[in-house]
Amino acid sequence: MPNTQPQTAPQTTRPQTAGREMIEGQPVLLVIDIQGGEGAQVDSEETSIPLMEGYDERLASAPDLITKARQCSVPIIFFQEAHRHNLIDFGRELDGVEGVHLLEDDPGTAVDPALGMRDDDYFIRKRRYSCFFGTELEILLKGLKADTLILIGGHTDVCVHYTFVDAHQHDYFCRVVEDCVAGSSLDAHDGALRAMEYLQTGARRTTAEIMAGFEDFASSKE
């Protein structure tokens, strides 16, 4: 008679990734789309991009992180999303919730001066969400011999998340500073943080942890 017993799937041994350090090798801090005035209209009905409550407050530690990175000789790359006034480079961005935003030379498009970006800092202007898409980022990261990318800025659920995913697929170690990113809504922000943690266990870190990690990195170079 045919065997009618339920079949048990064969047992397989799943290889486990060795525990990772918070900062593996050479770190680089990515400052993503923290732009002047972007969060100033949270309560305005005219806001063209949805912003979660407390958007600006969630990015308040960015200047301190940047200062600590400088002190510890951690390279910093600043990003600015900017679009041409004829809208030709928006693509499908305007098919969703977002309206026209961050046009070149508009006051709110400038990198937030509170960040203290210098003339000789690494700066990349981008047209799309991911910092990798259509930019020189990969070339720059190779030149910097980057291993671990540390992400701050906005939106958690859009530019930060998409950059994290692309970095993950380029085999970088990725860390997102969960108390120095802000999203389009609280739900979207929280969901994006969970999605990033899903890709790399230990990806979610705090400002205090990253600052301590920068100090440890600097000490290791002495």
Side-chain angles (χ1 to χ4, degrees), residues 9-79:
Q11 297 296 313
T12 58
T13 301
R14 185 176 181 179
Q16 296 295 314
T17 301
R20 301 296 187 189
E21 298 293 334
M22 181 175 65
I23 294 178
E24 294 275 355
Q26 174 65 54
V28 176
L29 178 63
L30 305 189
V31 184
I32 302 173
D33 300 354
I34 303 180
Q35 297 175 227
E38 184 180 8
Q41 297 179 331
V42 171
D43 298 322
S44 171
E45 295 179 357
E46 299 178 359
T47 302
S48 60
I49 305 177
L51 303 173
M52 69 186 296
E53 185 176 354
Y55 191 97
D56 286 340
E57 289 78 1
R58 289 176 180 271
L59 301 177
S61 63
D64 291 338
L65 274 165
I66 291 166
T67 297
K68 180 61 71 175
R70 293 192 194 283
Q71 293 171 348
C72 297
S73 300
V74 174
I76 308 163
I77 307 176
F78 293 86
F79 295 88

Side-chain angles (χ1 to χ4, degrees), residues 151 160 164 174-178 181 193 196 203-206:
L151 281 58
V160 173
F164 186 106
C174 304
R175 308 291 179 253
V176 56
V177 186
E178 62 182 0
V181 288
L193 289 174
M196 288 183 270
R204 296 175 63 169
R205 297 292 179 164
T206 65

Side-chain angles (χ1 to χ4, degrees), residues 205-218:
R205 297 292 179 164
T206 65
T207 295
E209 287 178 307
I210 293 299
M211 284 188 171
F214 286 167
E215 291 178 353
D216 290 343
F217 170 76

